[in-house]
Structure formats: C-alpha cells, structure tokens
Amino acid sequence: AGPMSLECLGNLLRITLSAEYFEDKYLSFAVVDQSGIAWELDEAMAARCGYTVTYSNWSSIEFRASAASCHSHLQKNVFTVTIQIKASHTPDMKNATSHLKSGSCHYGPWSSRELVCESNYMEVSVRKEVPQPIKDFIQDAPEDWTVVFPEAKAEEASIWQIVFHQPEEKKALLVSDAWSAGYGLNTTDTRVVLRIPHTAAQAQLVEDQGITFSMVRSSTFYKHRWMILMVDTTVACPVDGDDYTNKTITWTVPKYIPSLSAGATSFKDVLVEAGVGLHKLSAKEMASRKYVLLNDLNAITMKIPVGAEGGYYKTSVSNGQLGAKYTINLFLEHQWEDNKWGLTRHTIIKEIETPFEQTELVITNNSNMSTRLMNVTVGTFLPDVELVNLTIEGVTVAVPEAVQHGYIIHRTRYSNGSKAYIIQVPLDASSIKKEYLRDDMREYTLNVTLAFITHPSRETFTVPVITVSAVRDAVLPSVRGFCDGRNLHLIITHGNVDQNWLPFISDWHLTPEAAQKYNYSLRDNGTHLAVSVPFLSPHVNYEVFHTSGIKASLYLTLKDGITLANRREFSVSCRFSPSELIQCLPSGTVIITAIKVVGVADLDTSLLVLRDRECKPSLVTEKTATFKFSVNTCGTIRKFNSTALTYENEVLYFRPGNDTPVYRLKFVCSYAVNQAVNVRYESKKNPLPHVKPRFGFLALSLKLFKEKSYSEPYQESEYPVVKYLREALYFEVELLQPKDARLDLNLDDCWATNSQSRDSLPQWPILINGCENNKDSYRTVIHEVNYSRRVEFPQHLKRFEVRMLTFMQGSTLLQE
C-alpha cells in the first residue's frame, strides 16, 4: 500500500495518506501539470481549481480532485491527476522528503450538466451547445480573449467572460478578473466549467422547502472559432438541512431546486444513490448499518443513527471542557431529466457534525506500593488527542523532559484506535508530596496537570491529576535522653517523616540563634538532632525538691512546619544534687540560686527575699533568682558545734499582703573549725617575672548603672542623669579589647571634675593608686565582680560606688 493509496470515485479521484507514515510531519501539496510544473496549493487555489484537502477520521489525510480540475489531463473519458507531497519535521519544510503520486480514473458518459458540491467549492460543468449567434453583441475588450488558463491557450474554444445575475444588477467579469476574484473557469472541446468558492461574493442564500442553499446564477460566454456562445452556468448547493434529534442525524435535500430548474416543465428521476465517504452503499448495506434513505416526491432524506458505522467520533473542547462530536461524511448523487437540460447529475458531499457532548474522563490509580511506584492511567482518549506537556510544581515541561523530574510516561493503544496515557512516578520523587498521617502511615500525593492538543483542530485542554495513596512506611523520630553533672541532653534520631518538623521548648521555637542566646547547644547532622540545656536554664522545669535532689525536666515538642500542629513530644528528667544551687566560699560569701518549682505557678522570682527582706536577688531570670551575700548579713543564723561552724538562711516568697511565705528554700553553709590539710610544698627557683613594655591600644568603657546589681546601665538618651547629694552612683570600667584571659584590669587614679574636660580644675580624687580616698567623708566602695552570663572575664571589669557630690568654693556652688 505504501504511504499513499488511490481510489476512483466517479467524477472524483481520492488519494489517502497513511496516518502512521505522515504522523507528526508538516505537509505541503502541489499539483503537477502536463508540462511537469508543480503548482503549490493553498486554500484559495484549491477552491478555484477543484481540489480538496481534508484532515478527518482521526488524522487521516485525504486529497480529492475533480475530473474537471485545472491541471487534470482529460482524454477519452479518462482523467489523470498527478500530485506532489512534501513532508518535513519542521514548519519551514527544510530537509523535506518528496512523494509523487499519479492516478488515472475513467469517468463517463458525462451528463449534459454536472453539479458538484464539495466542502470548499461548488462546480458546474455544462456540455457546449452551438445555438444561433447572438446578434448585436459588441466585444469591448478583444485583447482579453487570450487571457485564460495556460491549459486553454492552445484551444480553439475558450471562455471570454462571465455574467453574474444578481437581484439588483448583472455583473460581468472578464476571465482575468474572475480568476483574480477566486473563480475557476476553463473549457474543453466539449464542456465549459465554472468553479466557485463557498466564500464567493456573488453567492446568494436562497431557501427551498425550508432548506438554505448557496446559489450563484451566472451565464458564461465563450468563443467558438468566430462565434461567441453562451451557456447557463448556474449552480446551487445545500448549506444546511441536517438535524439532530433523539441520537439520530436527519439530512434532507430538496429534489428539484427552482434555480437549477428554471425553464423546465417536466421532471423525471433517473437515479438516487447515497453512501459514506464517497462510497455508494446498496440498500442491503444501508440496512445493516441502520441507515434509512427516503426518496419522496419533493425531497431525498437520509437518517443515520449517531455512532453508526461509517462515521467517527472526534475530540472537541468547549470552555476548557473535554467532549466529543460524532462526524459522518455523507454522499448523495441525484440524477434527473428535464425538458430543458436533459440529464443532470447533482453530486453532494456533506460532512455532518453533531453538537458538543461533554465526556467524563476516567483517572485510574493503579499504584503498587510494594514497588514504591505511583502508577496512574489517564484516559481513554480518541486517537486525535496528543499529550504535549506536564505542569509539575508550577513548572511546565515537555513530555520528553518529564523524565528529569522522575516521570515515566507510556502511551497505550487499544484495538479500536483509542489510547490512554500511563504516568509512573517513584514515591521518592521530589515532586511527590509526602505527609505524615498517624502511627506508621504516610500519605503520598501526586499532583500534576497534563496538557493535551487535538488534531487537526489544535484545540487544547488540561487534565489535573491528583491521586493519593496511603503507605505504612512511616518511621517516627526516636529519642535518647540523659544528664551529666550540669546539663540535660536530648538526642533525637530522625525518621522519614520529620524533615519539616520544628523543635519547640515550651512554645518557644528552638532555632540556632535562639539557642546561642541562652547558651544552649543545638546540633543537627542530618541523621540526629542533639539538644543540650544547662541545669539552671529558663526552659527547664523543676518539679520535685528534696534534700536528696532536685528533679529537673526538659520538654521538647516537634511541630509541623506548616500547621504547627504537635507531632511528637519528648522529655528528659534527671535528679540533680542541691549542692548545684549553692556556693559556700572560704571568704564567707554565699551564692545561692533559688528555683521556681512547678507547684507555684504565680511565683515572681524578682520578689524572692532572704530572711532579711531587704536582701534581694542580684540576678533574676524567669525561673531563677541568685543571691550573693556575706554570712554575717541578711538575717543569717550562725551555729557552733565541736567540729563545725554553720550558717543558715532561707529564700522566701510572700504573696502581696500576706506574711506567710508560700515558698521556702532553706540552705546551710558549714565550715570546719579545726581542719588539717596536708600540702606538698617544693621550693623551686623560678625566674622572676618580668614585663616587656610595648605600646598598644586598649578599648575601655566607663558606664554608669542604675542599681547595685549592675544589670541596667543608663542609656545615652537618659543623660544628663539627675541625682541628689550623697545618692549612690554605680560605675563600671570594662576592658573591651583585647579579650585575653591573661590580662587584668587595674585602676590607678580616678577623679571627678566640674566640666567635661578631664584636665579642668577643680578636681576631686575618687581612687588614688587604686584605693579609696581617705580624705573623703563618704569613701568610695569597691564592689567585687563575679562571673555571670554577661561577664565572661571578671578580671576585665572594675566596679565602684561613689556618693553624689558637688564642687563648692566657700559657701558658693561652683558651676561650669
């Protein structure tokens, strides 16, 4: 069979192109004349010259040529047509392959008048008669006689002009003008042919028996040797007449159309034949297909059940919705005799299409979880549908590129020509959404939008594919908790569901920045999340308080990264020694940290006091309060026995207006009265330390603080600071750079002046050689600096307290 097959169908020749061979190729058609010249076809030339190219029946391509077409060679009732088809994979037709096909068909005998109603043109072919010469006819353009088709130049008889009969006027066109207007005219030894596109300006719409016809009334003048002869070249073709009710197509064609029967008074049916696809069907074949052909007195009617053999469904899109239309290409030939024309053959080709009907598309989830593969079948589709691209997570990719996103696409064909598309995606593909459900269940969601195109109409539509599969493969994170001497630790082993879960401690999102702020440790190496929190931390809960130990607990929650819903809760609890809260220094200084326990929810740690309620904490957090005092102050009770000297005090919390404490933490510091300590001593001559003087830069700061706790300095916006005489001023000098633990900051001389200039007079010494001024009635108090969260190197700071003073001269206040 090859890529092309040929059929002779009465006065038409049909060449059908193999859909498989020419699939996905761009085509161009040309007709080759007797001289071997290829005339490329476009829509206008095809309609003018008697050619039709159709794309139908699921992309099969048909070329049809009339027996009287422009370039056909007609000899003894045999017409020959040669076409050239070029096929290329690109629209610019580069590297095109050329295919030549020639066909000869016998057609005859010809009727006196032959009418053809094709899908893109109307054709009338009339036998030449030699009537009486037309008297008094004046030829006003003799030079136009030779302006005809190339095929007709050598003929003795050729068309000269055509006159269109319109209701308002008659319009005459010379051959060249008619050709330019899109009409086809040619002549042979025995016939005159006029071909009119359906879009012609001279076409009129007329109605007969309720059926609309496109009609052109015309007279064609041609020369025959020395005579000018005229023939009636009127043609009419039905425009409508098809109806669709109760799943049945009804096509009605009036038999004797007035415009084609003008002047005739008697009519006789000779032949009525019908069929599909230009193939005539016998009465038996029609009955087997449940076709009905009725030949009444005034009309011919065909009835076709929708879906019957001979027609086909094609995909249609309406407002983005997928649907289908049933299409059938009917064929009717009516021959009749009248007393004017003799025998007339009227051939009508009518493609009928039913209205759009929406179809439901089936999406089947065939996923096999044992192979961890999402497997979805989309379809079925008619053969005229093609998948062109996919939209995955907002990115549109062509079908060949989808494999880069983990998508495997198969097209499967069924015996009836329909097709379906199978989409396969591994569960582990990044575009598959994974969501933890419960227990060991995970939900996998495939969300992709498929874009299709129809051929040859090139309509587009999309199909969203969303399929969900639940799989028992969830691995939840697990935890191991432990404590060392001063920290609580949680080590979480990641599962396969917590990639986007967030760690929270008491509704506080634990980020690396937040952990650093509180001196916590947070490390994640991809497989494990390690959290370490010091025993004395604001996010540790203290639940039980006994002399045997303090139960401290750390609670960590993993929350969903999008919804913040709680997913998993972990905790670690450890018992710490009470000695972690107290330091009894040999110098007689006690540092005690009181903790807020779970049972007293409204406890404000800043209001904790010692027995002497004037003794308040020097460092306060949400859950702790730290006191630093001497054993001889703050209401401390001293007790003796034979071996030890003990000091007792308690941390108390009173609710406002109540003298009974709701919180009591009793603590004791014990010092041995007589204690012998063996110290190994070895004399060794060490070199004397020496200093190498060098010049360098030290960064220092001097700050004034609001309270003795040195927790809040005055800001720049608060200066100048107003104080009463003898009110305490708290100064701090800090070595900012370099941060070297081997360095000690020592203050030599400090003094006050009456102006901002440090060298102005008068001056009053505050520190002399690092010591307080003995001549001052209110001596400078030097405060000890201890390690804290703010103080990394206590030796880099010096703090002292000065009473507010002013400069006097006699009894006069000195001002700047």
Side-chain angles (χ1 to χ4, degrees):
M4 295 181 283
S5 60
L6 183 146
E7 290 179 283
C8 295
L9 302 165
N11 57 350
L12 293 171
L13 176 146
R14 177 167 65 188
I15 296 175
T16 304
L17 278 61
S18 166
E20 292 185 3
Y21 185 87
F22 289 100
E23 187 176 22
D24 300 329
K25 293 178 182 175
Y26 295 88
L27 303 179
S28 69
F29 290 82
V31 183
V32 182
D33 63 16
Q34 298 174 54
S35 304
I37 299 173
W39 300 82
E40 188 167 347
L41 289 184
D42 55 21
E43 290 184 8
M45 184 174 180
R48 182 189 298 124
C49 280
Y51 306 114
T52 304
V53 178
T54 64
Y55 296 78
S56 59
N57 197 11
W58 301 333
S59 297
S60 69
I61 304 167
E62 286 187 10
F63 169 86
R64 296 197 294 268
S66 167
S69 58
C70 292
H71 308 92
S72 66
H73 177 52
L74 183 63
Q75 191 173 19
K76 294 182 179 180
N77 290 340
V78 175
F79 66 97
T80 302
V81 177
T82 302
I83 67 167
Q84 181 188 63
I85 299 173
K86 292 183 179 180
S88 173
H89 290 285
T90 57
D92 57 11
M93 303 304 293
K94 288 186 177 179
N95 302 317
T97 57
S98 183
H99 304 268
L100 203 64
K101 186 72 173 179
S102 182
S104 297
C105 295
H106 180 274
Y107 179 65
W110 291 71
S111 303
S112 298
R113 180 173 59 171
E114 304 238 344
L115 304 167
V116 177
C117 297
E118 252 287 10
S119 60
N120 58 329
Y121 64 85
M122 302 182 288
E123 180 184 276
V124 55
S125 167
V126 182
R127 181 183 298 143
K128 288 181 179 179
E129 304 290 349
V130 185
Q132 293 298 319
I134 302 172
K135 298 179 180 180
D136 302 323
F137 191 90
I138 300 173
Q139 178 185 339
D140 57 355
E143 70 279 3
D144 190 61
W145 280 43
T146 58
V147 185
V148 292
F149 293 134
E151 293 82 0
K153 283 185 177 179
E155 300 289 338
E156 292 184 1
S158 58
I159 297 173
W160 173 50
Q161 71 177 9
I162 180 170
V163 176
F164 293 99
H165 303 268
Q166 295 178 298
E168 63 277 2
E169 63 177 351
K170 295 181 180 179
K171 183 176 182 179
L173 290 178
L174 299 177
V175 170
S176 58
D177 296 330
W179 179 264
S180 299
Y183 298 97
L185 304 102
N186 63 319
T187 180
T188 67
D189 289 340
T190 60
R191 305 191 73 81
V192 172
V193 180
L194 170 64
R195 202 171 293 106
I196 304 168
H198 284 303
T199 56
Q202 275 68 39
Q204 305 170 50
L205 294 179
V206 297
E207 193 172 292
D208 180 36
Q209 300 180 44
I211 308 301
T212 304
F213 282 81
S214 176
M215 180 201 61
V216 175
R217 291 184 59 218
S218 63
S219 300
T220 301
F221 295 84
Y222 63 95
K223 71 183 183 73
H224 182 75
R225 296 183 181 176
W226 51 270
M227 293 183 294
I228 296 176
L229 305 179
M230 181 191 75
V231 291
D232 184 351
T233 48
T234 298
V235 63
C237 290
V239 174
D240 50 26
D242 53 299
D243 188 27
Y244 171 70
T245 55
N246 299 325
K247 298 290 184 180
T248 300
I249 297 170
T250 302
W251 181 35
T252 303
V253 180
K255 291 174 71 172
Y256 307 115
I257 306 158
S259 56
L260 299 179
S261 307
T265 57
S266 63
F267 302 93
K268 176 186 176 182
D269 269 354
V270 175
L271 179 70
V272 173
E273 290 184 311
V276 175
L278 297 180
H279 287 287
K280 296 176 183 178
L281 297 177
S282 66
K284 184 178 179 180
E285 288 174 316
M286 286 195 181
S288 69
R289 301 185 182 194
K290 298 183 179 180
Y291 293 3
V292 175
L293 178 63
L294 302 175
N295 183 10
D296 297 330
L297 181 63
N298 297 315
I300 302 168
T301 302
M302 284 189 74
K303 294 185 178 182
I304 311 292
V306 172
E309 180 185 352
Y312 63 94
Y313 285 96
K314 66 179 181 180
T315 303
S316 182
V317 181
S318 176
N319 296 323
Q321 297 296 317
L322 178 64
K325 296 179 179 179
Y326 176 75
T327 301
I328 189 165
N329 198 13
L330 296 177
F331 159 78
L332 176 68
E333 182 178 306
H334 180 209
Q335 297 183 33
W336 74 87
E337 284 184 342
D338 59 45
N339 58 355
K340 177 184 177 182
W341 284 98
L343 184 64
T344 296
R345 178 185 282 113
H346 196 182
T347 302
I348 303 171
I349 299 169
K350 177 73 170 178
E351 184 177 74
I352 297 178
E353 186 178 89
T354 61
F356 172 87
E357 286 192 14
Q358 186 173 339
T359 57
E360 293 298 326
L361 190 64
V362 178
I363 300 175
T364 308
N365 185 356
N366 301 312
S367 300
N368 184 350
M369 295 301 100
S370 63
T371 60
R372 297 189 63 76
L373 196 67
M374 297 284 274
N375 189 321
V376 179
T377 301
V378 183
T380 58
F381 297 99
L382 294 173
D384 57 355
V385 169
E386 180 188 4
L387 175 64
V388 290
N389 63 53
L390 301 85
T391 300
I392 306 167
E393 296 183 305
V395 178
T396 300
V397 297
V399 172
E401 300 169 7
V403 67
Q404 300 173 12
H405 295 260
Y407 282 67
I408 303 169
I409 301 171
H410 302 285
R411 181 182 62 186
T412 180
R413 292 185 182 272
Y414 301 106
S415 58
N416 64 356
S418 61
K419 66 175 78 168
Y421 288 91
I422 299 173
I423 314 294
Q424 295 180 335
V425 192
L427 291 183
D428 299 325
S430 60
S431 60
I432 298 294
K433 180 184 176 183
K434 306 164 187 69
E435 186 175 1
Y436 173 64
L437 291 178
R438 62 191 176 278
D439 302 329
D440 61 348
M441 297 289 291
R442 273 204 296 179
E443 185 178 81
Y444 292 84
T445 302
L446 168 66
N447 189 344
V448 60
T449 300
L450 310 181
F452 296 88
I453 191 170
T454 63
H455 296 292
S457 58
R458 303 195 69 79
E459 294 178 300
T460 59
F461 64 95
T462 59
V463 177
V465 177
I466 302 175
T467 58
V468 179
S469 297
V471 185
R472 292 186 176 277
D473 67 347
V475 178
L476 296 173
S478 57
V479 70
R480 181 171 67 90
F482 62 94
C483 300
D484 56 21
R486 303 192 62 84
N487 298 280
L488 296 93
H489 303 275
L490 284 173
I491 298 178
I492 299 169
T493 302
H494 288 303
N496 60 8
V497 298
D498 57 321
Q499 295 84 355
N500 298 316
W501 293 1
L502 305 175
F504 277 77
I505 298 178
S506 302
D507 290 328
W508 173 70
H509 184 197
L510 184 58
T511 63
E513 296 76 17
Q516 186 177 13
K517 175 182 177 182
Y518 287 97
N519 200 28
Y520 297 171
S521 173
L522 178 67
R523 302 183 305 278
D524 195 331
N525 64 2
T527 61
H528 293 81
L529 172 68
V531 179
S532 298
V533 174
F535 163 63
L536 292 176
S537 298
H539 298 96
V540 173
N541 290 335
Y542 306 101
E543 301 178 25
V544 181
F545 205 118
H546 291 296
T547 55
S548 60
I550 305 161
K551 183 181 177 183
S553 299
L554 174 65
Y555 295 91
L556 185 140
T557 303
L558 294 180
K559 296 190 176 189
D560 189 283
I562 298 175
T563 65
L564 295 182
N566 289 357
R567 290 301 190 184
R568 293 283 281 172
E569 294 181 350
F570 301 117
S571 66
V572 58
S573 297
C574 298
R575 193 171 294 277
F576 287 85
S577 169
S579 62
E580 294 291 335
L581 303 179
I582 189 168
Q583 297 180 58
C584 300
L585 303 179
S587 63
T589 298
V590 178
I591 302 175
I592 178 72
T593 299
I595 56 178
K596 180 179 179 179
V597 293
V598 173
V600 189
D602 59 344
L603 188 146
D604 183 351
T605 54
S606 66
L607 300 180
L608 289 170
V609 295
L610 297 179
R611 281 178 176 160
D612 182 349
R613 296 193 189 183
E614 295 299 317
C615 292
K616 295 179 172 51
S618 58
L619 180 64
V620 174
T621 69
E622 182 184 353
K623 292 189 178 181
T624 65
T626 301
F627 296 83
K628 183 179 179 182
F629 62 96
S630 172
V631 293
N632 297 319
T633 62
C634 295
T636 306
I637 298 174
R638 181 173 57 184
K639 296 181 180 180
F640 291 94
N641 60 31
S642 57
T643 59
L645 178 62
T646 60
Y647 296 90
E648 295 180 3
N649 208 326
E650 13 181 36
V651 179
L652 305 169
Y653 179 70
F654 299 91
R655 286 197 174 98
N658 195 330
D659 288 335
T660 303
V662 296
Y663 175 93
R664 186 188 300 270
L665 173 62
K666 187 176 182 179
F667 58 92
V668 175
C669 277
S670 181
Y671 296 91
V673 174
N674 295 311
Q675 184 177 9
V677 179
N678 294 322
V679 179
R680 183 177 178 180
Y681 173 77
E682 181 182 351
S683 177
K684 191 173 184 179
K685 290 184 179 180
N686 291 324
L688 294 174
H690 65 281
V691 176
K692 292 182 179 180
R694 291 285 190 275
F695 288 103
F697 295 95
L698 299 175
L700 298 169
S701 73
L702 173 63
K703 295 179 182 177
L704 176 61
F705 283 78
K706 297 180 179 180
E707 294 179 350
K708 188 177 180 180
S709 63
Y710 286 89
S711 59
E712 184 181 1
Y714 283 99
Q715 302 300 317
E716 186 175 349
S717 60
E718 297 179 89
Y719 286 94
V721 177
V722 178
K723 293 285 186 178
Y724 295 105
L725 281 176
R726 292 190 291 279
E727 191 175 351
L729 301 172
Y730 302 99
F731 290 97
E732 177 185 270
V733 181
E734 182 179 5
L735 173 63
L736 300 177
Q737 293 291 338
K739 294 285 188 182
D740 189 339
R742 297 172 299 174
L743 297 178
D744 282 350
L745 173 65
N746 292 295
L747 301 181
D748 191 9
D749 294 322
C750 295
W751 64 92
T753 65
N754 197 33
S755 70
Q756 294 186 11
S757 173
R758 67 179 184 176
D759 298 323
S760 66
L761 296 174
Q763 297 179 353
W764 183 255
I766 294 171
L767 293 177
I768 302 173
N769 295 324
C771 299
E772 54 268 76
N773 182 3
N774 292 328
K775 298 178 181 179
D776 199 336
S777 302
Y778 301 96
R779 292 190 179 183
T780 301
V781 178
I782 298 174
H783 294 298
E784 184 179 358
V785 181
N786 294 309
Y787 175 83
S788 68
R789 278 208 310 252
R790 190 173 75 82
V791 179
E792 184 178 5
F793 302 112
Q795 66 270 30
H796 287 186
L797 285 87
K798 285 292 185 285
R799 293 171 176 167
F800 53 89
E801 176 185 337
V802 179
R803 298 292 174 172
M804 182 65 185
L805 58 88
T806 185
F807 288 92
M808 304 286 292
Q809 186 171 9
S811 59
T812 304
L813 177 67
L814 291 180
Q815 296 183 348
E816 183 181 0

